C-alpha cells in the first residue's frame, strides 16, 4: 500500500493539508527568486540538479514552476503551497531554507541520491503546509576532539541536520585527547596538541588500560572551518565553537606547559578518558593567551554564542599550586571558587566587549562571573537549566538522559560499543523539556534542545551515523513540532522517512535492530557499556548541586 508523501514528513509540520492533483517538474524547470531568495534558489539548483538531472532556469514568477518569495522578517516560519502548476515557497531567507527541505521530503526519495537514476518522475503532491518550529535552538553537538571527525563527514552531517530542520551545530573542538583548530599565534596546537600516540580501548580511564597502539589525530585549518561555517550557513545552520576551559585542557597544556598548573610536569595528549586534573591555570599569561586564541576563533565563527565549556573541572590543581595561590591572594580573593569566577569573568567580558555571548555547561552557574546575556547548557539532568533560568539566563536543554547519543540504542548485546546503556528512540521522542518545568514564567528562557554525540567510543564516521540515526530524527521532531504524535504513529512515519536515509547511504540503525554487520561482535566495537544509565543519573543528580566533580570521578 502506498503512503501519501504528506504522511512521511519528519519532523511533522504544524499545519498541513492535501489538495487534489500533483505537480510534475520537467526540464527546464523555471525558478523565480529575487533578493534574499536567490541564495536559496542556488541551493535548490545545486542539490536537485545533482540528483534529478532536471535543468533549472531563472523564470518570471508568472511562468515559473518553483517560486521563492521572501515575505517575512528573520524568523523560521514558512509556507509551502503546491498546486498542479507551481510550488510556491514563502518565508524569510531562513524560512525558505526550511521550506526547501520540506519540498525535498515531498519529492521522490531518489532526490537524496548523488546522481540521477533513470525512470523517476519528479512529482510533488498538491498541498498546503504552514510551518514554524516550537524552539529556536535545535542543536546537535559533535565531539570532534576525542575522535577526529574528517571535514567531509562534518559537511555530510550538516546535510543530514539540515534535512531534519536542525539549526545549530555545536563543535566540541578541544579536550584532553586533542585540540582540533589551527591557531596561528600558537602553532604547537596544530603540531603537538592535535594528535595522540594511541587510544585506550573502550572507555579506558588510565594509561595502564589496554591501548590500540595506533596514532590518532587531525585538526581543521582556519580555512576548513570557514568552509564548514559557510556550508552550514547556506543551510540555515549556525556553527557554535567550543573550547573547553578550564578543565578538559590536557592537549592544550601538553603543547604549552606554561598554561598548565604545574609547568614542570611533563604531560602528553591524553590517550584515555574521564575527568582529568590537567586544567589550565588562571594566571595573567594564560588569560592573555586564551584571549589571543579567542580572537582567532571569533574571526572564524560569526556565531553570537561562543562555548567555553566549563564542565568537569576539579579545582585541586589550583588549590595545590603555590603560583596560583599567590595570584589568588594578589587579587584579594578568598578561595579557588572565587578565582574560577574571576577567570570566567575575564573571558566572558572579552566576549561581551566584542558583541558575543558566553555559553557553557551548567557547572558555570555555580561560580558566577557570567554576564546576564550568558546561556547555560543543562547537561547534568534538568536541574541546572531550571536554576539558570530562575537566575535569568537563557538555557539549552541537553540532559544526559535522553539527549546523550553515545549511550546504546538498546540493552541488547547486539549493539556496538557505547558508553552505557541505554537511551531508546522512544526515550528521545518522549522528551518534553516543559514536562517537569517548575515555573512557566521562566520557560520562555529555554531556547531549545540539543543532542550530544560524545566520541570517546564513537570510533569512525559509520559508527557516528549509527549512534545518531534515527534517534536524531526523534529529537528533531521534539525541537520542531509543537504537537508530537504518540510514539506508535511517529514510528510508522519514521519507517517511511528511513527510506530517505537509505537512499542517502546513511548507516542508521534499523527500527528492528542492528544489521548483522552493524553489531558489536567481539572485537574493537564489542558491546561493553561502561556506565549503567540509572547509576550515572543518580550520580550526576547529586553532583548537580555543586560545581566540582566528586573525587571518585577522576581518571588517570
Ligand atoms: C559533559 O558531558 N561533560 C558536558
Amino acid at each position: 500500500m502506498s503512503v501519501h508523501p504528506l504522511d512521511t514528513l519528519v519532523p511533522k509540520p504544524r499545519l498541513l493539508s492535501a489538495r487534489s492533483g500533483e505537480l510534475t517538474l520537467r526540464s527546464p524547470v523555471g525558478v523565480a527568486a529575487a533578493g534574499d531568495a536567490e541564495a536559496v534558489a542556488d541551493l535548490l539548483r545545486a542539490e536537485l540538479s545533482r540528483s534529478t538531472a532536471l535543468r533549472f532556469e531563472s523564470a518570471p514568477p508568472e511562468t515559473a514552476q518553483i517560486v521563492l518569495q521572501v515575505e517575512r522578517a528573520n524568523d523560521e516560519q514558512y509556507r509551502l503551497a503546491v498546486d498542479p502548476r507551481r510550488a510556491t515557497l514563502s518565508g524569510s531567507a531562513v524560512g525558505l531554507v526550511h521550506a526547501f527541505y520540506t519540498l525535498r521530503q515531498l519529492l521522490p526519495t531518489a532526490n537524496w541520491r548523488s546522481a540521477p537514476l533513470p525512470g523517476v518522475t519528479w512529482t510533488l503532491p498538491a498541498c498546503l503546509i504552514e510551518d514554524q518550529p516550537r524552539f529556536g535552538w535545535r542543536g546537535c553537538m559533535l565531539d570532534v576532539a576525542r575522535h577526529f571527525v574528517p571535514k567531509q563527514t562534518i559537511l555530510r552531517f550538516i546535510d543530514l541536520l539540515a534535512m531534519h530542520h536542525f539549526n545549530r551545530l555545536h563543535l566540541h573542538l578541544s579536550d584532553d585527547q586533542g585540540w582540533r583548530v589551527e591557531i596561528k599565534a600558537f602553532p604547537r596546537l596544530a603540531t603537538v596538541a592535535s594528535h595522540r600516540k594511541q587510544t585506550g580501548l573502550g572507555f579506558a580511564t588510565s594509561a595502564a588500560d589496554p591501548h590500540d597502539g595506533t596514532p590518532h589525530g587531525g585538526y581543521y585549518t582556519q580555512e576548513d572551518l570557514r568552509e564548514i561555517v559557510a556550508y552550514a550557513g547556506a543551510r540555515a545552520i549556525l556553527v557554535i565553537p567550543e573550547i573547553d576551559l578550564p578543565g578538559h585542557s590536557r592537549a592544550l597544556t601538553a603543547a604549552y606547559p606554561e598554561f598548565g598548573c604545574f609547568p614542570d610536569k611533563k604531560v602528553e595528549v591524553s590517550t584515555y578518558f574521564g575527568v582529568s586534573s590537567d586544567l589550565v591555570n588562571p594566571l595573567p599569561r594564560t588569560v592573555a593567551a586564551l584571549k589571543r586564541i579567542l580572537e582567532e576563533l571569533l574571526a572564524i565563527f560569526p556565531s553570537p554564542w561562543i562555548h567555553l565549556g566549563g564542565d568537569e573541572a576539579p579545582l585541586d590543581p589550583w588549590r595545590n599550586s603555590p603560583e596560583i595561590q599567590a595570584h589568588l591572594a594578589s587579587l584579594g580573593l578568598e578561595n579557588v571558587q572565587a578565582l574560577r569566577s574571576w577567570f570566567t569573568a575575564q573571558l566572558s567580558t572579552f566576549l561581551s566587549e566584542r558583541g558575543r555571548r558566553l555559553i557553557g555547561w551548567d557547572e558555570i552557574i555555580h561560580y558566577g562571573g557570567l554576564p546576564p546575556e550568558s546561556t547555560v547548557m543543562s547537561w547534568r539532568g534538568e536541574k541546572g537549566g531550571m536554576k539558570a533560568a530562575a537566575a535569568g539566563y537563557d538555557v539549552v536543554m541537553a540532559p544526559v538522559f535522553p539527549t546523550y547519543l553515545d549511550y546504546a540504542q538498546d540493552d541488547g548485546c547486539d549493539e556496538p560499543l557505547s558508553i552505557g546503556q541505554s537511551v531508546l528512540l522512544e526515550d528521545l521522542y518522549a522528551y518534553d523539556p516543559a514536562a517537569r518545568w517548575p515555573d512557566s514564567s521562566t520557560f520562555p528562557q529555554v531556547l531549545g534542545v540539543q543532542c550530544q554525540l560524545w566520541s570517546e567510543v564513537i570510533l569512525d564516521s559509520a559508527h557516528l551515523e549509527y549512534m545518531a540515526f534515527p534517534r536524531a530524527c526523534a529529537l528533531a521532531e521534539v525541537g520542531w513540532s509543537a504537537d508530537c504524535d504518540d510514539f506508535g504513529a511517529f514510528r510508522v512515519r519514521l519507517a517511511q522517512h528511513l527510506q530517505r536515509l537509505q537512499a542517502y547511504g546513511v548507516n542508521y540503525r534499523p527500527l528492528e535492530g542492528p544489521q548483522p554487520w552493524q553489531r558489536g561482535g567481539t572485537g574493537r566495537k564489542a558491546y561493553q557499556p561502561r556506565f549503567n544509565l540509572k547509576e550515572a543519573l543518580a550520580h550526576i543528580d547529586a553532583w548537580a548541586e555543586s560545581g566540582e566533580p566528586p573525587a571518585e570521578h577522576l581518571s588517570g
Side-chain angles (χ1 to χ4, degrees), residues 244 248 311-312 361 363 379 400 404 454 543:
D244 205 344
H248 287 284
D311 59 320
E312 298 182 317
W361 300 111
E363 282 94 324
W379 76 276
V400 169
Y404 273 32
W454 296 104
W543 169 31

Side-chain angles (χ1 to χ4, degrees), residues 141 146 172 175 242 244 248 275 307 311-312 361-363 377 379-380 398 400 404 452 454 456 543:
M141 188 215 67
R146 270 54 174 274
H172 181 76
D175 215 298
E242 177 187 353
D244 205 344
H248 287 284
V275 177
H307 204 304
D311 59 320
E312 298 182 317
W361 300 111
D362 63 66
E363 282 94 324
M377 215 168 240
W379 76 276
R380 296 177 303 170
V400 169
Y404 273 32
Q452 276 52 245
W454 296 104
E456 290 98 328
W543 169 31

